[in-house]
Amino acid sequence: MKSAAHRKELGQFLKARRAELSPRTVGLPETDRRRRVSGLRRDEVAVLAAISTNYYTRLEQGRVTPSASVLSDLVRVLHLGDDQRDRLFELAGREASPARRRVSQKAHPRLRTVLNELSVAPGVILGRYLDILAWNPMAAALFGTDFAKVPEQRRNYVRQLFTDPAMRTLYADWEDSALNAVAVLRQQAVACCDDRRLTTLVGDLSVQDDQFRQWWGGRHVVPRAGGTKVFSHPVAGELTLAWDALTCVADPDQQLIVWSAESDSRAHEGLRFLASWAAAQQDDSKSDPVS
């Protein structure tokens, strides 16, 4: 544990960096009201870092020593470079592991083989941080998204849930689905809090969505690995589908998520109709003349 002098220096470091940033820099709206402080306010830093204003105030006053996870959140919020990040951890008496950029994942061939065999059931292969690595035509039809047109660095299930307005009407229980996705992401973050890919994703969503920021800071939800979801699809109508996750043995960071319905059920008929509709849409696109 660091001395009171080190904690005081840590507080001064945080205050100085906070003063260098503007609301626009971190994605907060700027107003015409005159700000009483230069840079960010304490409460703004606290909200973005998903900690209480009281706790952050005590940090700047040198009264508490933050955990490594809190420090990682502050690195993200305050846009610290590698040298500044190392200094922050040093002042807090915490060991900072090197910031990492993990290599991008590709869908594992075994999972892709299973995915390609699904003709009526929608399926996606999710990787680290719930990145969408692969999908079948039924998944594109269910979610109403041509994932191939989404930039690879933004092709992420959690990002889609919180930034695509259509997802909030597609899921009859959107809040439950989104909360479970945040819980999965939070669970993965425990082991990878220093991954820049993760901190960028969390930072973007924390700025863009109040609910994500609140749930991310809650840290109390246990993720589920299966269940039932109700979809309000604009073409196929209401679909009650079971969902299951198949983990890849060769790469545990990858899962095949499948939504299915029992044969002869109303939902199964809805999926068959959706499959026919998707096939017709694909045929129409192929027959359109090239301009």
Side-chain angles (χ1 to χ4, degrees):
M1 180 178 295
K2 285 289 186 178
S3 66
H6 281 95
R7 290 198 299 269
K8 184 177 181 180
E9 189 175 354
L10 171 65
Q12 292 172 342
F13 177 92
L14 293 172
K15 186 175 181 179
R17 182 54 183 157
R18 171 168 63 86
E20 296 172 354
L21 299 175
S22 68
R24 180 180 299 176
T25 303
V26 296
L28 293 175
E30 292 192 272
T31 65
D32 294 332
R33 294 176 55 189
R34 185 176 180 180
R35 298 174 67 86
R36 294 191 301 173
V37 296
S38 61
L40 297 178
R41 299 192 304 265
R42 284 175 174 172
D43 63 298
E44 290 172 332
V45 175
V47 167
L48 292 172
I51 57 179
S52 71
T53 302
N54 178 266
Y55 181 81
Y56 181 75
T57 299
R58 287 187 290 151
L59 271 179
E60 285 200 357
Q61 293 172 343
R63 296 164 55 193
V64 294
T65 301
S67 65
S69 63
V70 168
L71 291 172
S72 294
D73 286 335
L74 291 173
V75 168
R76 167 180 57 80
V77 172
L78 297 176
H79 293 207
L80 301 185
D82 290 345
D83 291 342
Q84 292 173 314
R85 172 182 176 274
D86 292 343
R87 180 57 176 161
L88 180 70
F89 274 79
E90 179 186 357
L91 290 173
R94 305 290 185 185
E95 183 176 354
S97 55
R100 296 175 293 174
R101 286 188 181 274
R102 293 192 173 192
V103 295
S104 60
Q105 286 180 297
K106 299 298 181 183
H108 195 279
R110 294 177 190 171
L111 288 187
R112 189 180 285 276
T113 297
V114 178
L115 176 66
N116 292 339
E117 291 296 320
L118 302 175
S119 57
V120 176
V124 297
I125 297 175
L126 299 181
R128 203 179 297 124
Y129 316 137
L130 302 187
D131 285 337
I132 301 172
L133 305 181
W135 59 93
N136 64 2
M138 280 298 292
L142 177 64
F143 293 107
T145 301
D146 184 352
F147 294 110
K149 294 183 178 180
V150 179
E152 186 175 352
Q153 65 272 20
R154 300 185 66 82
R155 202 180 294 155
N156 178 275
Y157 179 68
V158 187
R159 191 184 291 276
Q160 289 286 120
L161 276 174
F162 283 92
T163 62
D164 185 353
M167 296 290 274
R168 296 177 185 260
T169 56
L170 176 65
Y171 277 99
D173 56 350
W174 177 87
E175 284 201 4
D176 179 78
S177 301
L179 187 57
N180 190 60
V182 171
V184 173
L185 192 63
R186 165 61 69 181
Q187 189 178 66
Q188 294 185 7
V190 172
C192 305
C193 63
D194 59 342
D195 192 327
R196 292 178 181 174
R197 174 87 173 81
L198 173 65
T199 56
T200 298
L201 174 63
V202 173
D204 287 350
L205 295 180
S206 295
V207 168
Q208 295 177 45
D209 193 276
D210 291 339
Q211 283 178 297
F212 178 88
R213 184 166 60 243
Q214 176 186 352
W215 292 339
W216 185 259
R219 310 183 182 186
H220 61 274
V221 181
V222 178
R224 300 184 305 280
T228 302
K229 290 295 173 187
V230 179
F231 295 89
S232 299
H233 197 275
V235 174
E238 183 176 296
L239 300 171
T240 302
L241 305 177
W243 70 278
D244 294 280
L246 174 65
T247 301
C248 180
V249 175
D251 183 358
D253 282 341
Q254 295 190 33
Q255 287 188 321
L256 171 61
I257 311 298
V258 180
W259 292 266
S260 61
E262 293 186 6
S263 301
D264 301 325
S265 66
R266 179 179 177 182
H268 190 263
E269 288 302 313
L271 287 178
R272 290 175 61 86
F273 174 78
L274 186 60
S276 299
W277 176 83
Q281 293 292 109
Q282 189 173 21
D283 290 341
D284 287 344
S285 65
K286 289 180 179 179
S287 62
D288 285 341
V290 178
S291 57

